[in-house]
């Protein structure tokens, strides 16, 4: 059974710091991995999607890497801003019954202090 | 497109009552997912549909939960009878081909007292 773990559960940093969020999964037979952002009281917004054949994806100040063999992904946020404060979730896709679905981690709650 | 639309945004009900949550997926998406989010268990997949047909309902916690998708533009998640432990945020998501354009609604916050 695929399990997705995110460490740390919560993180508080001063504005301007570079930070790394970690995601690990137990079954390396994934189709892709996606990082989402969730603001309080809101739904999830997709940030970055990495296909299983890729090593990393970048979007602005965000960079996500994937190491399938070790079952790990990291989300790197450069020059953090108070607006980055949110919960970040990673999700891995697996194939089941001929279709695909995502299994989510429990998230990292990030607070960037001004 | 207005995105995935869920209603109501908030629902407070008494234990034992029937609760119906609604979802309108993005037009053209062929997959629809229902998730439940709690502090203790995180985001859990309850059930998903492909072309209006339920594919995997193994995440549905009990027989009190049921979901339908009568057409491509509407789905419901029903809880009957509701219990306090059902209190959570319920999300609906839709996608194309299972993983493309995975989009979440804003969720329904359910409180059962």
């Amino acid at each position: 059974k695929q399990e997705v773990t995110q460490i740390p559960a919560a993180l508080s940093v001063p504005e301007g710091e570079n930070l790394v969020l970690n995601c690990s999964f137990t079954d390396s037979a994934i189709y892709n991995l996606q990082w989402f952002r969730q603001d309080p009281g809101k739904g999830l917004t997709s940030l970055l999607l990495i296909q299983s054949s890729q090593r990393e994806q970048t979007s602005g100040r965000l960079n996500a890497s994937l190491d399938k063999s070790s079952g790990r992904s990291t989300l790197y946020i450069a020059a953090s801003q108070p607006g980055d404060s949110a919960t970040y979730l990673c999700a891995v896709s697996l194939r089941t019954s001929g279709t695909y679905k995502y299994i989510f981690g429990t998230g990292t709650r990030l607070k960037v202090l001004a | 497109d207005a995105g995935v639309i869920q209603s109501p945004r908030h629902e407070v009900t008494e234990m034992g009552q029937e609760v119906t949550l609604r979802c309108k997926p993005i037009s053209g998406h062929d997959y629809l997912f229902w998730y439940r989010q709690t502090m203790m268990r995180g985001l859990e997949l309850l059930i998903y549909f492909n072309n209006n047909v339920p594919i995997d309902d193994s995440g549905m916690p009990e027989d009190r939960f049921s979901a339908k998708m009568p057409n491509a533009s509407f789905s419901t998640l029903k809880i009957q009878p509701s219990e306090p432990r059902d209190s959570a945020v319920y999300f609906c998501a839709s996608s194309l081909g299972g993983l493309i354009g995975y989009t979440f609604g804003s969720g329904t916050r359910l409180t059962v007292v």
Side-chain angles (χ1 to χ4, degrees):
Chain A
K1 179 187 173 185
Q2 178 73 272
E3 293 185 1
V4 183
T5 304
Q6 290 187 246
I7 295 174
L11 184 62
S12 185
V13 300
E15 182 177 7
E17 270 203 12
N18 302 324
L19 53 99
V20 175
L21 308 182
N22 296 293
C23 172
S24 61
F25 45 95
T26 54
D27 187 344
S28 62
I30 65 171
Y31 185 72
N32 65 33
L33 182 144
Q34 193 160 180
W35 282 93
F36 291 85
R37 167 182 173 143
Q38 184 176 25
D39 292 286
K42 300 287 181 60
L44 281 69
T45 302
S46 177
L47 296 173
L48 289 165
L49 184 149
I50 311 176
Q51 300 292 349
S52 62
S53 58
Q54 297 175 317
R55 299 284 293 184
E56 65 178 332
Q57 280 286 339
T58 298
S59 176
R61 294 182 294 107
L62 305 179
N63 175 275
S65 67
L66 173 63
D67 185 341
K68 262 185 56 174
S69 60
S70 66
R72 293 183 182 181
S73 175
T74 61
L75 178 66
Y76 176 82
I77 304 177
S80 59
Q81 303 171 357
D84 295 329
S85 298
T87 297
Y88 292 81
L89 297 98
C90 72
V92 298
S93 62
L94 58 146
R95 182 172 178 149
T96 178
S97 303
T99 60
Y100 298 90
K101 63 181 182 181
Y102 277 112
I103 302 297
F104 283 81
T106 51
T108 293
R109 198 166 53 254
L110 172 66
K111 187 168 186 178
V112 180
L113 305 171
Chain B
D1 199 319
V4 177
I5 300 173
Q6 291 187 246
S7 64
R9 288 298 310 276
H10 303 275
E11 176 81 37
V12 180
T13 190
E14 291 185 349
M15 182 173 63
Q17 296 297 307
E18 176 180 298
V19 176
T20 300
L21 311 181
R22 298 172 176 80
C23 175
K24 176 178 166 55
I26 289 176
S27 177
H29 280 187
D30 57 347
Y31 279 80
L32 184 140
F33 305 82
W34 281 102
Y35 287 87
R36 178 172 68 176
Q37 187 175 41
T38 62
M39 288 292 292
M40 290 294 295
R41 301 173 69 91
L43 201 61
E44 302 173 280
L45 177 64
L46 300 177
I47 184 171
Y48 73 95
F49 296 82
N50 177 216
N51 292 322
N52 314 337
V53 176
I55 300 300
D56 184 349
D57 66 354
S58 59
M60 296 286 262
E62 300 170 33
D63 291 344
R64 298 184 295 106
F65 286 69
S66 63
K68 294 182 179 179
M69 192 165 185
N71 57 62
S73 60
F74 184 66
S75 177
T76 60
L77 178 67
K78 185 177 294 186
I79 308 172
Q80 166 63 20
S82 58
E83 297 182 3
R85 60 195 169 114
D86 302 330
S87 298
V89 181
Y90 291 81
F91 287 103
C92 175
S94 71
S95 71
L96 185 62
L99 298 174
I100 301 172
Y102 215 90
T103 305
F104 279 79
S106 298
T108 294
R109 181 173 295 277
L110 173 65
T111 303
V112 183
V113 298

